Amino acid sequence: MTGSPPSPPLNAPPQTPGRLERLYNQLAARRSLRYAAAALSGVVLAVAFPPYNFLPAIVAYSALLVLLQAGESVAKRPFLARFWTGAAFGFGFHLMGLWWIGAAFLVDADRYAALLPFAVIGLPLLLASFTGLATLLIGVAPHSFAWRGLALALTVSFTEWLRSFVLTGFPWNAAGVGVTQSSLMSQSAAVVGVNGLAFVVVLFGALPAALAERRSRWLAAPVGIILAAMTTFGILRLLTEPPSQPDALRVRVVQPSVPQHLKWDPVHRDTIWRRLLTLSDNGNRDGPADVVVWPETAVPFLYRTPSIAQRELAAVLMPATMLITGAAEVTQTATGPRTFNTVLVLNPSGDLVARYDKSHLVPFGEYVPFAELLSALGFSALAAGNASFVAGPEPQTISVPELPPFQPLVCYEVIFPHLRSEDPARWIVNVTNDAWFGVTPGPRQHLRHSRLRAVERGLPVVRAANTGISAIIDASGRVVARLPLNREGAITAPLPPPRFAPYGVWGDIPLYALWFIGGFVIFTSRWLTRRYQ
């Protein structure tokens, strides 16, 4: 006769909990241990991002779900337990992902080294609040790893989108970057953008926790469908390349590799200028170029016409090469001089034909927020020295007869998906100076964001970096040519053609639809669960 196993005798000793159960009980009982485990899980997640690119690290989101459950099981205020656990997770992630920012404070260590802890610790603490908000909001979902994982995927995509705007925005290492190690998976950004990819990253990362819980294993089906759809879309998009253009613009990207501490030293000004001219010369490079691109603030002085510098430049550019370069520009106004971080477009004679002033400045890097108060306390902008840069009016597309219309993006402007001009562009020029950060993850992370903008917009990106990594990127986000960190040189290649990308037309509308549908499903499930329990 078969049936259920016999019950243990009433006087049988209690079963000893296993190791995992004991660990779980300790995490539930000890907040400090739970927060430390959450921070460590955030550190693990950062390993999925450049320069490590270890995709399996996204399973850290499963660890986060377990820790959230452990905290809620004993907390008097579950919403606070969720917030602080999520904030600890976010702090560990951003500390591991952004520690390299401290390198900028060591370039002029006598003035700025004392502020290094505020950046290395303070910025991750600030950004951690967004992760805390995401975990706080998942309380609306039913109590299972599948539903909480789905809710976390939606709320993280929302708070990452929010991170692009709040306090001027700082979407560096956006969660969606965690699945872009592969060009195949990156192609979905052409439809949903980087914050749509955040939904995918969290959902995939939550799957191990869901599989460990019997009632949550249904999550494997939608994850499998999404993975199959992304793979199929990626393959088709990479196989259907836009046709190459025989008359494509030939672009030369110059990487002078000037150390930051020498960049503005008057003693080295002439050497830097000669290096830029030599690397740009059509006579000793890979054939003629239609346009040369120099990095952010590449010109080591205020460029003026007419001048000796203009004649020297024209001798290199003539007869038909244009120059796009970063430069610092000073404009005299009624209230005094105003300094701009600028992109100049110069014709083969060295005359200025177009200009873009950076519109999205780096707080504390190029200007000091609440300047009167903080300047009195000794704060000054790193890149601007004793002065502060002034923001330009808005993003724009530059159209000149000699070049296809392009959108210039200066330095970290390229990390913002929404920073686009109203007029259509055929390519993006990103000039930057990552010399501040040396040989750290920073330049590699910056390059990844540039590649994502190419996929989202369906536009090739030409990236000129002072010390690297300079690159020419096609509209599918693949690097056509590059120069590694700290190598002086130039690369010349035809400009890849643009291609259609739905995100470039619709923007975040598919993301808003995802939030609406996902929220409707979760609220409906919660209502049904309460009604029929």
Side-chain angles (χ1 to χ4, degrees), residues 42 67 85 87 97 103 114 138 165 187 209 219 274 293 318 320 356 374 391 400-401 445 448 464 478 486 490 528:
L67 292 166
T85 302
I138 70 169
F165 302 98
Q187 300 311 304
L219 188 64
R274 298 294 166 197
V293 183
M318 291 294 281
Y356 165 72
L374 294 180
V400 294
Q445 293 172 2
R448 181 66 62 82
R478 292 171 298 189
N486 296 327
L528 291 172

Side-chain angles (χ1 to χ4, degrees), residues 331-348:
T331 302
Q332 294 293 335
T333 68
T335 57
R338 294 162 62 88
T339 306
F340 297 89
N341 193 347
T342 299
V343 172
L344 304 177
V345 182
L346 308 176
N347 67 15

